[in-house]
Amino acid sequence: EVQLVESGGGLVQPGGSLRLSCAASGFTFSDYYMYWIRQAPGKGLEWVSTINSGGDRTGYPIAVQGRFIISRDNAKNMLYLRMNMLKPEDTAVYYCVRDPKIHSASWPENLTRDFGYWGQGTQVTVSS
């Protein structure tokens, strides 16, 4: 059974930093692209970052580029998101997501919760 368990969220002041972690189990972690996706209150799902199975290629939307860093440790089956210079608009539930296909990025045209496998999410609140 695929399991993804996020941790590391919390309350942080604007300009602060957090590191999210995602512990993966139930599958061969090093075979899959991984993503961080967030959902702000009252808003839709938003892509935050992508990392390939080997961990040597990453991608970010403009909204977080230069502030967030995705990484993975395939030996430990762990995915991370380092978030720097946090803004109030970064407030959201952050989800760790596994691609449904092995060794490929099968990003859908319209992202829904039906895509891939999701953790339970961790709340990040950026407020003074």
Side-chain angles (χ1 to χ4, degrees):
E1 179 188 3
V2 174
Q3 287 197 325
L4 300 166
V5 180
E6 301 95 335
S7 60
L11 173 64
V12 62
Q13 291 187 341
S17 297
L18 279 177
R19 189 179 83 154
L20 306 184
S21 299
C22 172
S25 62
F27 63 100
T28 304
F29 182 67
S30 58
D31 282 348
Y32 292 89
Y33 279 60
M34 297 293 297
Y35 310 91
W36 287 98
I37 294 168
R38 68 186 180 187
Q39 187 165 29
K43 296 190 176 181
L45 298 171
E46 180 184 15
W47 167 59
V48 174
S49 58
T50 301
I51 189 165
N52 70 335
S53 52
D56 59 335
R57 284 181 290 164
T58 59
Y60 308 89
I62 291 174
V64 307
Q65 196 161 29
R67 300 189 298 121
F68 289 11
I69 301 172
I70 188 172
S71 62
R72 66 192 296 163
D73 185 335
N74 285 344
K76 296 182 178 179
N77 292 346
M78 293 293 295
L79 179 72
Y80 304 102
L81 184 68
R82 177 68 179 181
M83 304 185 294
N84 300 316
M85 297 179 285
L86 282 161
K87 305 175 181 180
E89 51 264 43
D90 294 319
T91 295
V93 177
Y94 284 72
Y95 297 95
C96 166
V97 180
R98 196 207 85 177
D99 198 284
K101 294 186 178 180
I102 194 169
H103 287 307
S104 64
S106 56
W107 193 254
E109 185 172 337
N110 296 302
L111 178 62
T112 68
R113 289 296 298 263
D114 290 333
F115 173 72
Y117 295 85
W118 296 62
Q120 84 288 350
T122 186
Q123 176 70 48
V124 172
T125 302
V126 185
S127 175
S128 55

